[in-house]
Amino acid sequence: CAALRSGGGGNDVHWCFSQVKGAIDDDVAEADIISTVEFNHSGELLATGDKGGRVVIFQQETENKSQSQWRSEYNVYSTFQSHEPEFDYLKSLEIEEKINKIRWLPQKNAAQFLLSTNDKTIKLWKISERDKRPEGYNLKEEDGRYRDAATITTLRVPVFRPMDLMVEASPRRVFANAHTYHINSISVNSDNETYLSADDLRINLWHLEITDRSFNIVDIKPANMEELTEVITAAEFHPHQCNTFVYSSSKGTIRLCDMRASALCDKHSKLFEEPEDPSNRSFFSEIISSISDVKFSHNGRYMMTRDYLSVKIWDLNMENRPVETYQVHEYLRSKLCSLYENDCIFDKFECCWNGNDSVVMTGSYNNFFRMLDRSQRRDVTLEASRESCKPRQVLKPRRVCAGGKRKKDEISVDSLDFNKKILHTAWHPQENIIAVATTNNLYIFQEKVN
Amino acid sequence: MSENPDTDSLELESEEEKQDSPEKHCNVLLSEEAKLKEKYPKLGPKPGGSDFLMKRLQKGQKYFDSGDYNMAKAKMKSKHVVTAGADQNLVTGDHIPTPQDLPQRKATPLASKLAG
């Protein structure tokens, strides 16, 4: 794996504004709500998906070495309509076109491939560049019209000539009709041949080349639906072990499964659960323990889970409790009643690791996001805001006042804007470049270089 | 607490704190629960499985049938179509349209503003 240019991303890193994409106006069309953000394996490409079913891919400009060390910008590379709204005739339900997840395939040739999914259908997209075109056909004019055969007196050999770069996206596979419930996760296996898709109750294993069948590997649907107590919230393959995957539940547990053990992995190999004192239970405790995201560390030794109020790091060798727990916005604990009423308590925040697994990041409300430095045991709250948008402006840490006297520069809990949520963030696989999605804008921040 | 006033050191729970904080959390959670129960006395564990989970499984707006869905979509689209000085009384979705009622221009699929 590539060495990092700079270590960590915690307190010694000063984050600066680099770019912001999207409309400035406050009137947000539903279709523009960003629903997923993902860097590819080299970090050169950054993909976003939105509620309108569209994918926009940005490409990092190749650096100009003679310039300062300021890393280059991301510009639009390709954009396409991935999914359209559909109607489920059997259930009389609308199938939203919203892109729930995008996952890149590792690059094998000149083209790039990604998987994008809505609630029901996964699609494999090929993104390829075209920079030359054939010219000089004998039977056709350049505009495609057929020539009158009688006017052709000589033969010529068509040749390829350079043209302006065109980036084309084409759907290569459509993986449909395998999910009764709503897909929440897709994950490409390290074997580069298979991937999994998970819905509320089932997980399926696909081969990237085969669209007409998939294997069901997890099924937690009870025989009697009235006995339903938990649903699958996220799933991911191990980064190196192609037989291992994990899935998280709405009850705060994570199950690790080994596909070598049996074809149907209903019985877990490991169950990760932090014990809870039954006398501490309240109406809210189960809801806030629901895991909204699970991510393996790059080195494959740890996994991170995000629940409503915290981020937990688990050692894969220790099932009975996490090795680290970080509070994201503990000041919300005394606001759970109102957060239940406005449905915010059901918001699904994602989380991500930096390239060397030393820092993790997750979003919060008021367009705040949190950087949690594991190695330095420090954390910082930053804000994605149009007010800190001067080129290379260093982001100022934010503080929330939970109660009592509010200090200068602090914001009180009651002033937080709960409509401004950062649910989706992504970290460049090698460099200190992060992509942070607010409702309809994409912010790119970079590490300050002197 | 930390030397740098701008950042908080992470909450590493000491043994003492470990004993306090679950109780503290518990009290806060219970008082939040009490607030909720005051507002919604009927809320609580019901027979027949979790309502909340069932609602989650069935997410998605329900229509009577595909005709109802298409009419509703047409109504939505007619709000977005730019009527170039034409009929303000354009009606779709409420009755079977005649060719004269339909908008002249197809609603152009809008490109993402991120690409703008």
Side-chain angles (χ1 to χ4, degrees), chain A residues 15 53 109 147 161 199 228 253 255 282 289 325 414 418:
Chain A
W15 291 96
N109 52 39
R147 292 170 74 190
R161 294 214 188 280
D199 67 32
L228 181 70
T253 63
R255 286 173 177 79
S282 84
S289 70
T325 301
D414 299 308
F418 289 94

Side-chain angles (χ1 to χ4, degrees), chain A residues 146-196:
Chain A
Y146 281 97
R147 292 170 74 190
D148 179 2
T151 64
I152 300 171
T153 52
T154 57
L155 270 184
R156 56 186 176 176
V157 179
V159 291
F160 276 101
R161 294 214 188 280
M163 61 181 256
D164 286 338
L165 179 69
M166 209 166 74
V167 182
E168 302 170 317
S170 58
R172 304 303 286 175
R173 307 267 187 280
V174 178
F175 304 91
N177 301 322
H179 286 279
T180 308
Y181 302 99
H182 300 108
I183 297 173
N184 52 56
S185 312
I186 47 175
S187 178
V188 184
N189 202 347
S190 52
D191 68 7
N192 273 343
E193 289 186 346
T194 58
Y195 75 95
L196 64 75

Side-chain angles (χ1 to χ4, degrees), chain A residues 248-409:
Chain A
S248 58
S249 85
S250 53
K251 274 186 154 177
T253 63
I254 309 100
R255 286 173 177 79
L256 184 141
C257 301
D258 186 336
M259 295 196 292
R260 298 170 301 187
S262 68
L264 189 58
C265 297
D266 277 359
K267 259 175 65 171
H268 53 262
S269 297
K270 295 194 184 185
L271 173 66
F272 297 84
E273 187 173 15
E274 189 167 23
E276 198 199 19
D277 185 351
S279 64
N280 282 347
R281 284 194 70 73
S282 84
F283 176 79
F284 297 113
S285 29
E286 188 173 314
I287 302 176
I288 62 171
S289 70
S290 174
I291 292 171
S292 50
D293 195 14
V294 64
K295 291 263 171 54
F296 278 105
S297 60
H298 290 94
N299 61 22
R301 290 169 49 201
Y302 300 96
M303 65 180 174
M304 161 168 56
T305 57
R306 174 71 155 97
D307 52 68
Y308 191 61
L309 297 179
S310 67
V311 160
K312 295 180 181 173
I313 311 284
W314 303 78
D315 184 323
L316 294 185
N317 296 315
M318 185 158 70
E319 298 167 61
N320 60 351
R321 60 177 173 86
V323 289
E324 293 154 40
T325 301
Y326 304 99
Q327 302 305 327
V328 179
H329 36 217
E330 181 65 12
Y331 45 79
L332 295 184
R333 195 178 286 270
S334 55
K335 304 286 171 195
L336 291 178
C337 180
S338 353
L339 293 168
Y340 179 88
E341 289 182 295
N342 62 19
D343 273 355
C344 283
I345 205 174
F346 301 110
D347 284 335
K348 299 188 180 62
F349 291 94
E350 291 174 8
C351 52
C352 59
W353 298 83
N354 73 339
N356 68 1
D357 300 332
S358 61
V359 185
V360 298
M361 165 168 64
T362 190
S364 178
Y365 295 103
N366 209 71
N367 283 348
F368 287 173
F369 58 99
R370 302 267 288 140
M371 312 286 266
L372 309 162
D373 192 330
R374 302 174 61 214
S375 48
Q376 303 222 2
R377 310 301 269 160
R378 302 231 213 181
D379 63 297
V380 71
T381 304
L382 300 173
E383 182 180 359
S385 149
R386 288 267 176 185
E387 276 155 45
S388 320
C389 275
K390 289 200 273 292
R392 307 182 198 188
Q393 177 174 1
V394 176
L395 296 183
K396 191 171 173 305
R398 292 274 178 253
R399 290 176 70 94
V400 178
C401 167
K405 212 158 146 56
R406 188 177 75 88
K407 299 196 194 85
K408 180 174 90 94
D409 279 355

Side-chain angles (χ1 to χ4, degrees), chain A residues 37-70:
Chain A
V37 183
E38 187 83 353
F39 279 101
N40 76 336
H41 293 268
S42 65
E44 186 206 354
L45 298 176
L46 174 61
T48 61
D50 65 22
K51 211 163 178 215
R54 301 163 300 192
V55 171
V56 182
I57 301 174
F58 302 92
Q59 181 188 43
Q60 195 179 26
E61 293 299 308
T62 40
E63 273 179 60
N64 189 339
K65 298 270 192 251
S66 65
Q67 281 187 345
S68 72
Q69 282 181 299
W70 182 252

